[in-house]
Amino acid sequence: MRTMSAVWIENDPIPLERERKIERETHKLEKRLCRLVGQAIGDYDMITAGDKVMVCLSGGKDSYALLDILLKLQRRAPVSFDIVAVNLDQKQPGFPEHVLPDYLKALGVPFRIEEQDTYSIVKDKIPEGKTMCSLCSRLRRGILYRVASELGATKVALGHHRDDIVQTFFLNMFFGGKLKAMPPKLQSDDGRHVVIRPLAYVPENDLVRWAAHREFPIIPCTLCGSQENLQRRQVGEMIRGWDRKHPGRVDNLFHALQNVVPSHLADGTLYDFKGLTATGVPDAQGDKAFDEDEFPASATLPALQVIKL
């Protein structure tokens, strides 16, 4: 017998309105993801007519989202292109081999599972307690480039997002002494492939929410995922802290990577400092060392209050 309380709960308008709100927010999130990915593809001419895009699927939230959004865009893109998903099974102990094939078969997406025991190689070459990411990444890269050639893929799509790109910038600056990040599009180091990052404009928080909504079958990386104190993790925590305290700062950092002024840095290979002479012609980009820098008062630093005396 149904109780009176059960009737009230089932007909309670508050949960229904909350459900509708969640649906609206999820729809907005989907539209934003498609817009940001589509914008990045268009800005950098990542995908053109007739391309065969190899989506590297790791089993993490980012690569799942990349494949998911590309499939949505494929149905309404202004050009026709093919998608093939590729996963590298590195033979990590306990790796659930059935998860990705089952997921991709259900989607009806062409795919290839490449089995290579890079796990044993990395464990053999890297001393206990040392970071494994670098060697693991090099091995993966070589294998995936080979697979791309075998599949006839014209583009290799990776799931790096906006926050990954900003993190890489700081890692190179702090630990490598270089102003260098992950570009949205570049040539592979073997010169045979074009690598694209369609998630370049997407913040990680949006991907976390999308993965939860889509209930992707996430596969954790047991090779290096448990390693503590990785430099990337430390930089990531720094950036997330900024994002919480100063919304908009990470966006500005990414936009700065798209707005470089070589004449105001110090790299003589990018700007001819040695050959610089006074021309007598006014230059808006000329030195303004005695001018006060002007920035938006609180657009990116809401925690600061500007007081005029």
Side-chain angles (χ1 to χ4, degrees):
M1 176 182 295
R2 299 177 65 190
T3 65
M4 183 61 69
S5 61
V7 174
W8 276 99
I9 291 173
E10 289 181 7
N11 290 279
D12 186 355
I14 297 177
L16 179 60
E17 178 57 32
R18 187 180 298 120
E19 183 178 340
R20 287 174 178 168
K21 182 179 180 181
I22 292 172
E23 289 178 359
R24 289 194 299 269
E25 291 300 316
T26 301
H27 180 63
K28 287 165 58 177
L29 174 60
E30 179 178 345
K31 288 183 64 176
R32 183 165 65 250
L33 287 170
C34 289
R35 175 177 57 81
L36 290 173
V37 173
Q39 184 180 348
I41 291 173
D43 286 351
Y44 294 94
D45 201 21
M46 293 184 185
I47 299 175
T48 55
D51 268 339
K52 186 173 187 178
V53 181
M54 185 180 104
V55 178
C56 299
L57 195 62
S58 67
K61 71 179 190 314
D62 304 329
S63 59
Y64 273 123
L66 172 61
L67 177 62
D68 197 37
I69 299 302
L70 284 181
L71 288 172
K72 293 179 185 298
L73 293 178
Q74 185 187 39
R75 293 192 286 269
R76 58 176 187 263
V79 298
S80 176
F81 65 95
D82 295 323
I83 292 175
V84 58
V86 171
N87 169 255
L88 173 58
D89 180 353
Q90 299 177 268
K91 296 304 175 186
Q92 299 174 23
F95 182 79
E97 297 179 357
H98 67 284
V99 171
L100 284 171
D102 289 351
Y103 175 79
L104 294 168
K105 287 175 184 175
L107 282 181
V109 178
F111 69 92
R112 173 167 166 178
I113 306 296
E114 179 71 14
E115 298 183 4
Q116 296 287 335
D117 189 4
T118 60
Y119 177 86
S120 297
I121 297 174
V122 172
K123 295 293 285 186
D124 179 64
K125 299 294 183 183
I126 304 298
E128 191 69 28
K130 296 294 183 180
T131 302
M132 303 176 184
C133 299
S134 179
L135 176 58
C136 183
S137 177
R138 290 198 301 272
L139 293 172
R140 283 203 318 270
R141 187 165 62 243
I143 294 169
L144 290 172
Y145 287 166
R146 171 180 58 79
V147 172
S149 295
E150 293 173 359
L151 292 174
T154 54
K155 302 288 173 60
V156 177
L158 303 179
H160 298 119
H161 47 71
R162 182 205 66 179
D163 297 34
D164 286 328
I165 293 173
V166 173
Q167 285 176 23
T168 301
F169 171 76
F170 280 105
L171 281 167
N172 280 308
M173 184 168 62
F174 290 161
F175 305 108
K178 293 181 180 179
L179 292 182
K180 174 184 174 183
M182 292 176 174
K185 179 181 178 182
L186 76 161
Q187 179 179 265
S188 61
D189 56 3
D190 64 3
R192 300 172 59 191
H193 306 282
V194 174
V195 177
I196 59 175
R197 295 182 169 95
L199 299 181
Y201 292 171
V202 179
E204 184 174 20
N205 285 340
D206 281 353
L207 296 173
V208 172
R209 292 175 56 204
W210 187 246
H213 166 66
R214 298 288 284 165
E215 298 182 337
F216 296 136
I218 305 297
I219 302 174
C221 177
T222 57
L223 180 61
C224 60
S226 61
Q227 289 184 305
E228 299 296 333
N229 300 319
L230 296 180
Q231 293 169 336
R232 180 171 290 277
R233 182 172 299 174
Q234 294 172 339
V235 171
E237 290 172 354
M238 176 188 75
I239 291 173
R240 285 189 291 274
W242 284 346
D243 208 26
R244 288 192 298 270
K245 295 179 181 178
H246 311 297
R249 178 177 289 188
V250 180
D251 270 333
N252 272 1
L253 286 168
F254 181 80
H255 291 321
L257 298 177
Q258 300 174 296
N259 190 22
V260 179
V261 185
S263 63
H264 285 50
L265 296 175
D267 189 339
T269 65
L270 298 180
Y271 188 81
D272 185 13
F273 292 103
K274 289 184 177 180
L276 180 66
T277 59
T279 65
V281 178
D283 182 0
Q285 291 296 325
D287 189 39
K288 300 177 182 178
F290 298 102
D291 292 359
E292 191 71 23
D293 288 329
E294 295 183 3
F295 302 106
S298 59
T300 60
L301 298 175
L304 300 182
Q305 183 177 5
V306 178
I307 301 176
K308 294 184 178 180
L309 301 177

